[in-house]
Amino acid sequence: MLERDGKLLVITFSNCTAKYGDRVLFEPSWGNYDMAVGDRIVSVFNGAADKDAYNQVALIPKERTIKVPSDAKRKKLENLYAQVRKIRETKKGYERLGEIWETQQAEHSQDWLLSMEIYEILDMTEQQPQLKAKIEKFLNEKKASTKDLSTLIGWGFRLVEYHKKPEYQAALHASPK
């Protein structure tokens, strides 16, 4: 059984046969049977994950992606994201993260994702502990005061911790670039 945060996620069965009526869904020769466990469905998309394996045609939903018009304020925020991405990719300019975060706080105080990205970089590089602490405080306040963001910010913090694990680092360095 696989549990996370005290919740059962997956039960693995060995030597398992699964049937629906006369139809065999799984047999022991295929290996272990992993059964996902949950109490509710939080997101769905119709069809098989591998449509080619099931000869399915990808359906085009009636709804279209809502595109937010990019005004001057939005473009400034996008520019801040671009600066942080460049710092992450080039591994240069870490000293600018404080200035970028202060700008984000002053001009885009509702945005939390950029703060999480800056927090992750500071955590990963072990730089500017005072700034990291300020950002962590901001994110925890957002998490506590905004129910919709609580889960997302919590996942963000868990992701930062997961990225430090040796098995993640090993997989990261082993994968082709």
Side-chain angles (χ1 to χ4, degrees), residues 11-122:
I11 301 174
T12 300
F13 296 92
S14 58
N15 197 23
C16 177
T17 301
K19 291 183 177 182
Y20 181 71
D22 291 335
R23 186 172 166 208
V24 175
L25 302 175
F26 193 90
E27 49 186 57
S29 65
W30 300 348
N32 290 335
Y33 179 76
D34 293 326
M35 181 175 71
V37 179
D39 64 348
R40 62 192 166 107
I41 298 171
V42 296
S43 179
V44 296
F45 187 82
N46 70 334
D50 184 0
K51 294 189 185 319
D52 293 336
Y54 294 95
N55 295 320
Q56 289 184 337
V57 177
L59 300 174
I60 300 171
K62 292 177 193 171
E63 302 84 18
R64 304 310 302 160
T65 302
I66 298 170
K67 296 186 179 179
V68 178
S70 195
D71 60 10
K73 185 174 182 176
R74 176 93 182 163
K75 285 184 180 183
K76 285 182 182 179
L77 178 60
E78 290 169 359
N79 182 276
L80 294 175
Y81 273 96
Q83 289 177 54
V84 171
R85 181 180 61 240
K86 185 175 181 183
I87 292 168
R88 179 189 293 277
E89 290 173 352
T90 64
K91 296 178 174 37
K92 295 177 187 167
Y94 296 120
E95 68 282 353
R96 295 190 49 247
L97 291 173
E99 175 190 334
I100 293 169
W101 188 70
E102 293 294 338
T103 302
Q104 180 254 311
Q105 290 294 291
E107 298 176 13
H108 310 279
S109 60
Q110 294 304 309
D111 186 87
W112 62 273
L113 190 56
L114 185 62
S115 297
M116 182 61 75
E117 188 167 352
I118 294 170
Y119 174 86
E120 181 183 18
I121 292 169
L122 293 174

Side-chain angles (χ1 to χ4, degrees), residues 83-171:
Q83 289 177 54
V84 171
R85 181 180 61 240
K86 185 175 181 183
I87 292 168
R88 179 189 293 277
E89 290 173 352
T90 64
K91 296 178 174 37
K92 295 177 187 167
Y94 296 120
E95 68 282 353
R96 295 190 49 247
L97 291 173
E99 175 190 334
I100 293 169
W101 188 70
E102 293 294 338
T103 302
Q104 180 254 311
Q105 290 294 291
E107 298 176 13
H108 310 279
S109 60
Q110 294 304 309
D111 186 87
W112 62 273
L113 190 56
L114 185 62
S115 297
M116 182 61 75
E117 188 167 352
I118 294 170
Y119 174 86
E120 181 183 18
I121 292 169
L122 293 174
D123 185 77
M124 184 177 60
T125 60
E126 298 179 352
Q127 295 196 23
Q128 303 181 56
Q130 293 89 359
L131 176 59
K132 179 185 162 194
K134 280 175 35 179
I135 295 173
E136 184 174 17
K137 181 179 180 214
F138 163 76
L139 289 167
N140 280 319
E141 287 171 359
K142 274 275 192 216
K143 182 179 168 188
S145 67
T146 313
K147 186 179 182 217
D148 292 344
L149 297 181
S150 179
T151 301
L152 294 172
I153 292 171
W155 285 347
F157 282 130
R158 284 196 297 275
L159 190 60
V160 168
E161 289 305 309
Y162 175 76
H163 285 167
K164 291 193 272 186
K165 291 185 178 246
E167 57 269 26
Y168 174 81
Q169 290 297 317

